[in-house]
Amino acid sequence: LSDRNLYHIPIGERIKTSPRSGAVADSNGHIWTGARGGILELYADSTGVWQQYLHTFIGTSPNTDCYVSLLDRAGRLWITVDGNRNIQAYKISSQPWKQSQLTPGVRLTRGKHYPEGIPLMMFVDAQDRMYISIGEAGVAVVDLEQLAPLGMITTSVGSPGLAVRAIFQDHHGT
């Protein structure tokens, strides 16, 4: 995938993906996306044939949508699970041509690390601060090193009801 070409990935039995989930590719070319009942990993095996593996989580119903939100610079895969609304990081232990292992890491909790609402988009900057778009409320900022909320950029004044759908950082870090 590093050549930035478009690929058709033929897979056998289709697993239902989550409608609002993002998709990311890790350093080994594995593709991750949210699915009904877990996180779907797509990868090419040693013969070049695409494989899929559904990573499921304890306590998650097979009918629950899971969402991939971001893969940060530290290699953490950040996900949310519908109905839970907490944000969980997983360390990816992957090898080329084989399915990966996911190990739970940092968990951000609704009400403690960010306000009530539905996390939509996330971004982690170079200072390890996570920016989380929360439904129609604005953007919460969390220090991931200290696991401490840093504040909330609200949309209630000037743009009530606005949902932030994308968060980016320019080459100057602003």
Side-chain angles (χ1 to χ4, degrees):
L1 295 176
S2 63
D3 58 10
R4 300 188 189 267
N5 285 323
L6 294 175
Y7 288 88
H8 172 72
I9 302 172
I11 52 177
E13 179 184 342
R14 185 172 181 272
I15 294 175
K16 183 167 176 45
T17 57
S18 298
R20 296 183 316 269
S21 181
V24 296
D26 67 21
S27 60
N28 283 318
H30 296 217
I31 299 170
W32 300 86
T33 190
R36 179 75 35 98
I39 299 299
L40 183 61
E41 177 184 14
L42 300 167
Y43 61 95
D45 65 18
S46 60
T47 64
V49 175
W50 285 94
Q51 303 294 324
Q52 62 180 351
Y53 181 78
L54 183 65
H55 295 266
T56 57
F57 306 104
I58 295 172
T60 301
S61 157
N63 294 321
T64 301
D65 282 329
C66 298
Y67 307 99
V68 168
S69 297
L70 112 100
L71 181 66
D72 68 15
R73 283 186 279 285
R76 296 175 292 202
L77 182 68
W78 291 89
I79 70 161
T80 58
V81 176
D82 204 24
N84 180 337
R85 305 295 187 222
N86 292 330
I87 302 168
Q88 177 77 51
Y90 286 86
K91 179 183 180 289
I92 301 171
S93 300
S94 66
Q95 299 176 30
W97 310 299
K98 295 181 182 177
Q99 78 186 43
S100 303
Q101 297 296 317
L102 295 178
T103 305
V106 174
R107 175 181 290 211
L108 302 180
T109 306
R110 176 183 58 181
K112 177 180 178 184
H113 296 105
Y114 60 92
E116 294 292 325
I118 301 170
L120 298 174
M121 294 292 176
M122 293 172 228
F123 173 80
V124 176
D125 70 11
Q127 291 78 36
D128 217 21
R129 293 178 297 218
M130 179 179 276
Y131 296 80
I132 309 163
S133 168
I134 306 293
E136 297 176 351
V139 177
V141 185
V142 178
D143 180 329
L144 292 178
E145 289 180 11
Q146 303 297 321
L147 289 180
L150 296 176
M152 179 75 179
I153 304 163
T154 182
T155 59
S156 64
V157 176
S159 301
L162 177 72
V164 177
R165 298 280 182 189
I167 306 171
F168 297 96
Q169 185 174 39
D170 69 16
H171 66 282
H172 297 294
T174 56

